[in-house]
Amino acid sequence: MTPSKWVRIWNERLPDVPLSLHAVSPAEAFGALREGAADAGLVRLPVDGDDLSAIPLYTETTVVVVPKDHLFAAVEEVSAEDLAEELVLHPLDDTLDWERPPGRPAFERPATTADAIELVAAGVGVLAVPQSLARLHHRKDLTYRTLDGVPQSRVALSWPAADEAPDLVEEFIGIVRGRTVNSTRGRRAEELKGRKEQKPAKSGKPARTGKPAAGSRTSGRPAARKGGTGGSARGGRSGKPRRRS
């Protein structure tokens, strides 16, 4: 998987919280979450147990890895039926949920996908894998083509099950699901909410002299000055005081 985009967004939103990435094999991923070695993980479905939560992110294309001089290298897409006469390697760490792998099975299953890639490079069979694994194990002497009519791998974000995900896990969930800063939940959202609540209200513009503010009532008499200090308000026309008769 290539989580570089999500890491970049994390660093922009939470620069004070380092995000550490650890690569593990598919067989080790769920154990790392259960043992607390990781707060969350990008895994392949299905999740093996009710003690882990998961949200699907996307479905990955399945490809067939072949030597560059293989017949399949001349086409853009291959079907499962096209593999009928091919020796198809099925490593023990295969992440695809096969009911029955296509093609002719090898006498012995390779231990890992990396071992299977070496066999393909040696001209021993072909290999069906999710596209990201084909990119991970890229070699100059190998290529891959889209494989149609076969299982596909679903990628998900998983974390230990709880009533509510921890704030920082919720932050990462929001990032991988494309939430904006304003719509995300978690610690960052609480900070933004707090800033809005603490923001002072804007003061209104003072009313122009000689004109009452909307909705107010005035007697038309000038306001009296008190003490001769400060900025007193100006009323209507000033004039001499009337003499009492």
Side-chain angles (χ1 to χ4, degrees):
M1 302 177 189
T2 54
S4 56
K5 176 183 177 181
W6 300 329
V7 174
R8 176 180 56 79
I9 296 174
W10 176 280
N11 291 334
E12 291 173 354
R13 295 186 186 180
L14 298 164
D16 59 325
V17 182
L19 180 64
S20 301
L21 300 181
H22 301 278
V24 296
S25 68
E28 298 170 329
F30 297 122
L33 294 174
R34 291 188 172 102
E35 296 164 5
D39 298 306
L42 294 165
V43 301
R44 298 188 185 277
L45 295 176
V47 173
D48 61 347
D50 297 333
D51 57 336
L52 296 176
S53 298
I55 51 171
L57 299 178
Y58 58 89
T59 300
E60 194 170 358
T61 301
T62 301
V63 300
V64 57
V65 181
V66 298
K68 279 194 171 180
D69 58 355
H70 194 282
L71 183 63
F72 291 162
V75 298
E76 294 183 358
E77 187 173 286
V78 179
S79 69
E81 290 75 15
D82 294 332
L83 300 180
E85 300 302 321
E86 297 288 337
L87 180 67
V88 180
L89 302 170
H90 189 203
L92 295 176
D93 65 354
D94 189 3
T95 59
L96 297 172
D97 187 19
W98 298 102
E99 183 176 341
R100 182 179 179 278
R104 298 184 294 110
F107 291 109
E108 186 176 348
R109 295 180 63 181
T112 66
T113 298
D115 292 336
I117 290 288
E118 293 293 334
L119 291 173
V120 174
V124 182
V126 299
L127 174 66
V129 291
Q131 188 172 12
S132 62
L133 291 182
R135 290 174 176 171
L136 176 65
H137 298 287
H138 171 71
R139 291 176 50 126
K140 293 182 178 180
D141 53 347
L142 299 180
T143 187
Y144 61 85
R145 294 293 182 266
T146 300
L147 186 56
D148 189 33
V150 296
Q152 293 179 314
S153 177
R154 292 187 300 155
V155 176
L157 180 67
S158 182
W159 64 94
D163 292 338
E164 291 186 5
D167 281 351
L168 292 177
V169 173
E170 190 63 59
E171 290 284 355
F172 196 67
I173 293 172
I175 290 172
V176 299
R177 301 195 80 172
R179 294 180 194 152
T180 63
V181 175
N182 293 329
S183 65
T184 191
R185 292 175 284 182
R187 196 193 73 169
R188 178 65 173 166
E190 291 300 321
E191 289 178 355
L192 292 174
K193 181 180 178 182
R195 291 177 187 174
K196 290 180 179 180
E197 292 176 349
Q198 294 173 8
K199 189 175 182 180
K202 293 183 179 180
S203 58
K205 295 182 179 179
R208 292 183 179 180
T209 58
K211 293 183 180 180
S216 64
R217 298 178 63 186
T218 61
S219 63
R221 296 180 180 178
R225 294 185 178 182
K226 295 183 180 180
T229 60
S232 61
R234 293 180 179 179
R237 292 182 301 170
S238 61
K240 296 180 180 181
R242 297 180 180 178
R243 295 179 180 179
R244 293 185 179 181
S245 58

